[in-house]
Amino acid sequence: MQAAIDQLAESGYAGTSLSAIAARAGLSKAAVLYHFTGGNDELISEVVTSVLTDANTVMAAEVEAEPTIAGKLRAYITANVRYLAEHRRQILALTAVFNGGPPRADGASIYEPMSERAVADVAGLLSAGQKAGEFGDRKSTRLNSS
């Protein structure tokens, strides 16, 4: 997995093949195929799943530790930015896949469902904050600032 992440981060999606990953890992291509019988697509999918799962685990723990909605939103943003900073190679690998990978069967990019989930998470926090009275609504905020 680390060899695939490093290859994607350095060479982009187009420059990442099973042969290149195997060479980087010091393995034969057959050894890589033994573990990833679906070939390059399966390995790339596993990289995306692994990195996103790790990021979500880190971020969720910090968000859940906060007692207030405002604290949860702050934790979500700061944990996200910290993860980006501390996991540069993984983020470069994801970016390579998202920007260079083929579209899914439905025509959407591989990133769309993940992007939609992230937006829904933030929107959910904002909505919950409004319902809890921690955040004002846009209309009343504009009126009060006039």
Side-chain angles (χ1 to χ4, degrees):
M1 288 295 292
Q2 190 60 50
I5 288 169
D6 290 341
Q7 186 66 33
L8 282 162
E10 291 176 18
S11 302
Y13 186 85
T16 299
S17 64
L18 283 179
S19 297
I21 294 167
R24 183 179 286 272
L27 302 169
S28 68
K29 184 176 174 181
V32 175
L33 280 170
Y34 176 79
H35 293 286
F36 297 97
T37 56
N40 204 44
D41 290 344
E42 181 185 351
L43 180 52
I44 298 297
S45 178
E46 186 61 32
V47 166
V48 170
T49 300
S50 174
V51 172
L52 291 176
T53 298
D54 183 49
N56 286 332
T57 299
V58 168
M59 291 172 55
E62 293 192 33
V63 170
E64 289 170 15
E66 289 293 327
T68 65
I69 304 297
K72 290 180 183 304
L73 181 59
R74 185 179 312 105
Y76 181 92
I77 294 167
T78 57
N80 191 321
V81 171
R82 186 173 37 261
Y83 190 88
L84 293 172
E86 293 174 357
H87 297 86
R88 186 174 188 275
R89 294 191 71 71
Q90 289 87 341
I91 300 306
L92 287 172
L94 281 182
T95 303
V97 173
F98 296 156
N99 290 334
R104 298 175 340 163
D106 64 3
S109 78
I110 191 171
Y111 181 68
E112 279 183 58
M114 293 162 237
S115 174
E116 289 168 1
R117 179 178 173 211
V119 169
D121 288 347
V122 172
L125 285 172
L126 294 171
S127 178
Q130 286 178 326
K131 288 177 185 168
E134 291 186 44
F135 307 142
D137 64 29
R138 292 170 73 198
K139 187 180 264 183
S140 66
T141 302
R142 273 190 249 137
L143 290 174
N144 291 335
S145 65
S146 298

